[in-house]
């Protein structure tokens, strides 16, 4: 995970007081989309950006330091200090936005100046009055609070007095490990029933204000503004085409998994030609199916790759795992971690204080201080995570010479895409063999298919979910919040072939069960990152001279692959991501594409087709009873939301494909 500073509610109140009269709403949009002023003096723009750069970097350092201190020592005092720093940052952001919109960036002759000013004024809620700015961040903060405080009751009735199960680790563990469909349905219901309803009204108000901010910035709605960060008129078409290409693979995987689940749970729970109920896939949101590998492994008699025992046998420590990751990058000719990294990173879970354990990589914005925070345990998952987090640090190190506003991935999917591309080389039997952690004969047909199945349960299964979360959000921003729960399930069914295990109504709010919805975090970046991951892996493997199937490629020790990475890293966000993609693909393409992902899974696709050859339906056919689970009006009255959004951008995808 790349660390991104986030805003807490308390500080906004302070900002409002501090800013006073500062934020009268801005009028006069002369560009098609963005708010802009009339100043076309290049000297003044350069001066403003110079000052901005110094001040933004300084404030970023202060906020990162305070956040780090809190995350690695969660005391009330440290929390207060963090909020104070964030308050200053919010004040600075709003002032900077105001100064930036005084320029007419479209008429300034320097492209880098134009690009920076445009970035400063895009996707900002600073156009709101202080009162509304304050209100929306309060709403988000309250929704996040509700989400993080949900506790649910266990399945076992004797234990139901203690309703204290948390999402992490309890709910996640039960959804992964339980094979009792009654328990799974119970946990699924508890979570969804407890999370959604208390935040439904808050979310509806949030939609209203987010739309107001977007309209003041010159957009039709907040969804259009969210998409605008990709700055690409072809964006929706590329997304739509990539999904069209991926869908046959998804349907083959789905069909095979359904057969296995039918064998495991029987026809009363899984219908032979139907969609799948959401609670059986090893994950609360059915977005990652890898935890049910035990039910679906193609060749269960062949051992899967797990090097944890070997790591323990060889006496690995967290420090050694970090050193191993560093050696992976230096073997590519990339940079070693700086001394400050080794001095200040948190590589182990401390036992004398409370810390936030989610792994993350930090850029302190002073070109010196870069750190990872991870409660590392000696196991395979954390070894891969260490390589993943260090990829973010490499990105930070290489774009550190760019101006502040360009120190980021080329688009919101790049950071995660790169880090995951590295993981494809590391979590790879060939690589683990090369580094002396896996000594089995890795190259049998059966182990390859087992491995690809595990990867498909993670990656292919994720694709439709990654797409639909924001397809839903765009739809709500565009068409309003009426029937938003049935709209959610309509998309879940359409893209994923998933239905709720129990009936749902508009009193529920099931999209809120996914943290990114209440927390106001865009999700399309994960779909982009997924495709980029394979595109980047493919390019690095080509540079490394890899021959053979893509899933066996390991770029370790390839300076050529390292150069592909460093060239991409150095640019940061200074150029349009299409140019970066073109560079990555040696001029061949500038499109987000599913081709590399399909190439990676090609051997599995052939295998799945053989497995599914006697299936009457590859994919799913939904009956009325299943649709009525979330559209009670099918059997009663009411409006069917699904009929009135044909003009929504992302519906293009489904209209074209289904
Ligand atoms: O939210 C995350 C990361 C932080 S960037 C933990 N992910 C998405 C999710 O959990 O739904 C990573 C995969 C997709
Ligand atoms: Zn990451």
């Amino acid at each position: 995970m790349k660390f991104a500073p986030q805003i807490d509610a308390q500080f906004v109140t302070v900002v409002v007081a501090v800013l006073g009269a500062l934020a009268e709403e801005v009028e006069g949009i002369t560009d098609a989309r963005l708010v802009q002023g009339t100043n076309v003096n290049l000297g003044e723009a350069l001066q403003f950006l110079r000052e901005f750069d110094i001040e933004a970097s300084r404030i970023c350092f202060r906020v990162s330091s305070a956040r780090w201190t809190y995350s690695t020592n969660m005391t009330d005092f440290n929390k207060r200090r963090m909020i104070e720093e964030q308050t200053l940052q919010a004040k600075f952001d709003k002032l900077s936005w105001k100064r930036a919109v005084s320029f007419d960036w479209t008429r300034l002759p320097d492209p880098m100046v134009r690009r920076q000013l445009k970035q400063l004024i895009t996707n900002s809620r600073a156009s709101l009055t202080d009162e509304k700015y304050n209100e929306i961040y309060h709403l988000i903060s309250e929704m996040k609070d509700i989400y993080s405080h949900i506790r649910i009751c266990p399945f076992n009735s004797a234990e139901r007095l203690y309703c204290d199960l948390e999402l992490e680790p309890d709910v996640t563990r039960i959804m992964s490990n339980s094979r009792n469909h009654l328990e799974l349905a119970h946990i699924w219901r508890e979570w969804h029933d407890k999370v959604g309803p208390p935040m439904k009204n808050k979310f509806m108000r949030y939609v209203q204000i987010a739309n107001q901010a977007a309209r003041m910035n010159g957009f039709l709605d907040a969804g259009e503004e969210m998409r605008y960060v990709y700055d690409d008129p072809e964006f929706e078409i590329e997304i739509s085409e990539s999904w069209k290409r991926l869908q046959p693979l998804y349907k083959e995987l789905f069909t095979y998994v359904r057969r296995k689940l039918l064998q495991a749970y029987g026809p009363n729970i899984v219908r032979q030609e139907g969609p799948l109920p959401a609670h059986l896939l090893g994950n609360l949101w059915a977005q990652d199916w890898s935890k049910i590998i035990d039910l679906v492994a193609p060749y269960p008699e062949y051992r899967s790759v797990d090097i944890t025992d070997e790591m323990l046998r060889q006496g690995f420590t967290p420090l050694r795992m970090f050193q191993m990751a560093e050696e992976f990058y230096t073997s590519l000719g990339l940079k070693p971690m700086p001394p400050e990294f080794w001095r200040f990173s948190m590589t182990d879970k401390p036992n004398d204080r409370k810390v936030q354990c989610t792994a993350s990589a930090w850029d302190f914005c002073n070109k010196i201080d870069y750190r990872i925070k991870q409660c590392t345990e000696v196991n395979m998952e954390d070894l891969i995570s260490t390589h993943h987090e260090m990829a973010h640090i490499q990105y930070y190190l290489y774009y550190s010479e760019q101006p502040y506003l360009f120190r980021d991935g080329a688009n919101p999917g790049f950071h995660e895409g790169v880090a995951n591309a590295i993981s494809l080389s590391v979590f790879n039997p060939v690589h683990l063999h090369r580094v002396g952690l896996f000594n089995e004969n890795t190259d049998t047909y059966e182990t390859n298919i087992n491995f690809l199945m595990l990867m498909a349960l993670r990656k292919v299964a994720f694709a439709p979910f990654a797409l639909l979360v924001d397809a839903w959000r765009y739809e709500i921003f565009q068409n309003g919040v009426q029937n938003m729960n049935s709209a959610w399930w309509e998309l879940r069914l359409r893209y994923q072939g998933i239905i709720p295990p129990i009936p749902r109504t508009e009193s529920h709010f099931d999209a809120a069960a996914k943290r990114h919805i209440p927390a106001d975090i865009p999700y399309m970046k994960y779909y982009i990152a997924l495709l980029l991951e394979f595109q980047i892996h493919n390019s690095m493997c080509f540079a490394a001279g890899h021959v053979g199937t893509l899933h066996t490629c390991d770029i370790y020790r390839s300076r050529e692959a390292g150069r592909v990475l460093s060239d991409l890293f150095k640019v940061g966000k200074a150029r349009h991501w299409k140019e970066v993609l073109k560079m990555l693909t040696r001029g061949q393409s500038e499109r987000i594409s599913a081709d590399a992902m399909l190439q990676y899974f090609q051997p599995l696709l052939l295998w799945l087709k053989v497995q599914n050859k006697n299936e009457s339906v590859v994919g799913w056919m939904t009956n009325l009873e299943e649709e009525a689970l979330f559209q009670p009006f099918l059997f009663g009255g009411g409006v069917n939301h699904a009929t009135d959004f044909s003009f929504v951008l992302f519906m293009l995808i489904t209209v074209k494909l289904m």
Side-chain angles (χ1 to χ4, degrees):
M1 183 167 78
K2 174 179 163 277
F3 164 75
Q6 292 200 347
I7 300 180
D8 285 285
Q10 292 101 313
F11 86 98
V12 182
T13 323
V14 189
V15 174
V16 171
V18 173
L19 290 179
L22 185 83
E24 69 276 20
E25 287 168 14
V26 175
E27 288 170 35
I29 299 155
T30 50
D31 181 51
R33 299 266 166 97
L34 302 173
V35 181
Q36 65 201 67
T38 50
N39 189 347
V40 288
N41 185 321
L42 181 62
E44 285 179 25
L46 282 166
Q47 177 65 15
F48 162 63
L49 286 175
R50 254 193 308 274
E51 285 167 17
F52 172 83
D53 214 80
I54 295 167
E55 201 52 22
S57 305
R58 202 179 63 85
I59 292 177
C60 174
F61 174 74
R62 290 182 56 156
V63 172
S64 307
S65 305
R67 285 189 63 90
W68 175 272
T69 305
Y70 175 65
S71 303
T72 57
N73 188 8
M74 297 173 74
T75 62
D76 287 345
F77 175 79
N78 287 344
K79 187 171 187 182
R80 265 197 310 279
R81 266 207 52 225
M82 176 179 78
I83 290 168
E84 279 162 22
E85 295 296 339
Q86 287 174 325
T87 304
L88 286 177
Q89 188 178 43
K91 181 184 167 190
F92 172 74
D93 285 351
K94 205 156 187 187
L95 279 167
S96 304
W97 180 85
K98 264 195 86 68
R99 287 186 67 190
V101 294
S102 72
F103 291 98
D104 180 354
W105 61 270
T106 59
R107 288 173 48 217
L108 289 165
D110 183 328
M112 286 301 156
V113 171
R114 279 205 303 272
R115 200 170 159 72
Q116 287 179 75
L117 284 175
K118 185 178 171 191
Q119 198 181 311
L120 254 179
I121 61 180
T122 339
N123 235 11
S124 167
R125 292 190 178 130
S127 55
L128 287 168
T129 59
D130 286 347
E131 201 185 324
K132 286 194 175 145
Y133 188 72
N134 186 1
E135 188 183 351
I136 193 163
Y137 284 107
H138 255 110
L139 287 166
I140 294 165
S141 173
E142 282 171 353
M143 290 192 287
K144 279 162 65 174
D145 243 35
I146 294 173
Y147 194 91
S148 62
H149 286 105
I150 299 293
R151 301 288 178 269
I152 66 167
C153 309
F155 176 60
N156 188 339
S157 56
E159 292 169 14
R160 280 193 202 167
L161 283 177
Y162 306 103
C163 293
D164 56 358
L165 299 184
E166 296 182 43
L167 178 60
E168 291 295 346
D170 311 308
V171 173
T172 302
R173 200 187 49 232
I174 298 168
M175 294 308 294
S176 305
N177 300 342
S178 173
R179 299 292 173 253
N180 174 351
H181 70 89
L182 293 173
E183 179 178 27
L184 290 166
H186 165 85
I187 297 290
W188 191 97
R189 176 210 289 264
E190 276 278 302
W191 182 260
H192 284 76
D193 287 3
K194 284 195 171 149
V195 170
M199 58 171 97
K200 192 175 169 192
N201 287 340
K202 293 183 197 302
F203 185 81
M204 294 197 308
R205 176 70 181 146
Y206 150 91
V207 169
Q208 208 174 28
I209 305 178
N211 272 341
Q212 281 170 12
R215 288 188 191 118
M216 267 186 291
N217 290 342
F219 296 94
L220 290 170
D221 59 60
E224 194 190 28
E225 189 169 27
M226 281 170 84
R227 296 188 292 275
Y228 193 72
V229 292
Y230 292 94
D231 193 12
D232 172 22
E234 302 283 292
F235 184 62
E236 287 83 20
I237 297 168
E238 276 174 38
I239 299 288
S240 145
E241 283 178 359
S242 65
W243 173 236
K244 196 169 165 181
R245 299 260 296 129
L246 273 181
Q247 205 183 30
L249 172 61
Y250 177 71
K251 284 188 171 172
E252 293 288 351
L253 177 70
F254 176 97
T255 306
Y256 169 76
V257 167
R258 179 178 57 204
R259 194 167 59 254
K260 292 288 174 183
L261 290 178
L262 179 61
Q263 284 163 13
Y265 293 105
N268 291 334
I269 308 297
V270 178
R271 194 168 65 79
Q272 198 180 359
E273 296 178 341
L276 283 169
H279 60 311
L280 304 179
L281 290 147
N283 176 277
L284 188 57
W285 310 277
Q287 70 178 70
D288 172 348
W289 303 351
S290 59
K291 295 298 186 296
I292 58 162
I293 184 73
D294 55 314
L295 297 179
V296 306
Y299 300 102
E301 65 281 15
Y302 284 79
R303 217 169 71 90
S304 64
V305 183
D306 190 344
I307 53 159
T308 301
D309 289 348
E310 185 58 24
M311 288 171 71
L312 291 168
R313 204 188 61 75
Q314 293 188 20
F316 267 65
T317 59
L319 178 63
R320 181 154 162 213
M321 289 157 72
F322 275 70
Q323 286 165 337
M324 192 172 170
E326 183 187 47
E327 197 273 327
F328 180 88
Y329 290 101
T330 51
S331 89
L332 305 178
L334 300 183
K335 300 187 180 190
M337 293 296 106
E340 292 74 13
F341 174 89
W342 293 110
R343 196 152 159 225
F344 297 120
S345 284
M346 186 188 98
T347 57
D348 298 60
K349 183 175 180 175
N351 44 25
D352 58 345
R353 57 186 195 268
K354 198 171 162 211
V355 299
Q356 272 171 2
C357 265
T358 324
S360 50
W362 298 56
D363 178 351
F364 284 71
C365 316
N366 63 352
K367 307 186 187 200
I368 296 171
D369 208 338
Y370 302 92
R371 307 180 194 173
I372 287 176
K373 172 176 74 62
Q374 184 173 268
C375 300
T376 315
E377 293 187 17
V378 178
N379 60 37
M380 180 166 83
E381 205 175 319
D382 282 6
L383 182 68
I384 292 152
S385 169
T386 310
H387 286 74
H388 173 111
E389 298 305 333
M390 212 176 272
H392 291 310
I393 303 278
Q394 289 288 342
Y395 216 150
Y396 300 151
L397 289 170
Y398 276 91
Y399 63 47
S400 65
E401 292 312 317
Q402 294 286 355
Y404 178 84
L405 285 164
F406 295 157
R407 283 185 234 143
D408 202 350
N411 77 27
F414 266 76
H415 248 287
E416 220 45 28
V418 165
N420 286 339
I422 298 291
S423 304
L424 290 181
S425 272
V426 180
F427 179 52
N428 173 326
V430 176
H431 179 71
L432 298 173
H433 185 70
R434 284 172 84 184
V435 294
L437 283 167
F438 187 65
N439 286 324
E440 312 254 317
N441 178 7
T442 58
D443 210 19
T444 69
Y445 176 73
E446 290 81 359
T447 50
N448 274 278
I449 293 296
N450 273 350
F451 174 77
L452 280 173
M453 175 61 74
L454 182 62
M455 294 304 276
L457 295 172
R458 261 186 214 151
K459 309 282 177 182
V460 180
F462 182 53
F465 183 79
L467 250 186
L468 76 85
V469 173
D470 275 352
W472 177 82
R473 210 164 358 198
Y474 300 160
E475 187 192 330
I476 300 305
F477 282 132
Q478 183 170 350
N479 291 347
V481 294
Q482 72 282 7
N483 294 328
M484 63 179 180
N485 208 42
S486 64
W488 170 253
W489 285 107
E490 157 77 17
L491 291 172
R492 294 270 272 163
L493 178 58
R494 205 177 276 244
Y495 286 99
Q496 283 187 291
I498 297 286
I499 48 172
I502 46 173
R504 311 308 283 161
T505 68
E506 289 305 319
S507 70
H508 301 114
F509 175 25
D510 293 326
K514 184 71 200 162
R515 187 179 55 89
H516 299 67
I517 297 293
D520 185 42
I521 301 171
Y523 212 82
M524 193 55 78
K525 62 182 175 188
Y526 297 117
Y527 182 75
I528 304 297
L530 179 69
L531 300 187
L532 279 175
E533 169 181 345
F534 291 92
Q535 286 183 274
I536 296 167
H537 181 63
N538 198 9
S539 290
M540 291 191 298
C541 293
F542 180 85
H546 173 77
V547 280
T549 45
L550 199 49
H551 72 279
T552 58
C553 162
D554 167 24
I555 59 160
Y556 185 47
R557 294 184 182 146
S558 164
R559 301 266 156 167
E560 292 74 17
R563 213 158 9 252
V564 170
L565 271 183
S566 59
D567 286 349
L568 180 155
F569 286 162
K570 275 181 212 152
V571 180
K573 207 181 176 179
R575 279 155 58 188
H576 195 285
W577 59 270
K578 293 240 156 197
E579 285 179 49
V580 180
L581 256 186
K582 197 158 187 176
M583 192 175 80
L584 181 78
T585 56
R586 303 165 305 281
Q588 283 171 10
S589 171
E590 51 173 35
R591 291 167 73 85
I592 296 278
S593 149
D595 290 357
M597 185 165 171
L598 286 169
Q599 191 186 331
Y600 184 98
F601 286 110
Q602 180 63 12
L604 183 73
L605 179 62
L606 296 176
W607 184 88
L608 284 167
K609 281 186 170 162
V610 174
Q611 304 305 308
N612 292 337
K613 66 180 187 304
N614 296 326
E615 289 283 342
S616 49
V617 176
V618 173
W620 55 94
M621 282 192 343
T622 316
N623 63 28
L624 258 185
E625 214 176 303
E626 286 155 348
E627 282 187 35
L629 279 169
F630 58 91
Q631 293 182 329
F633 32 76
L634 278 184
F635 287 152
V639 185
N640 184 348
H641 202 287
T643 55
D644 69 342
F645 55 62
S646 56
F647 50 96
V648 174
L649 234 31
F650 271 82
M651 290 308 93
L652 262 177
I653 301 166
T654 32
V655 170
K656 272 191 187 163
L657 298 182
M658 305 303 284

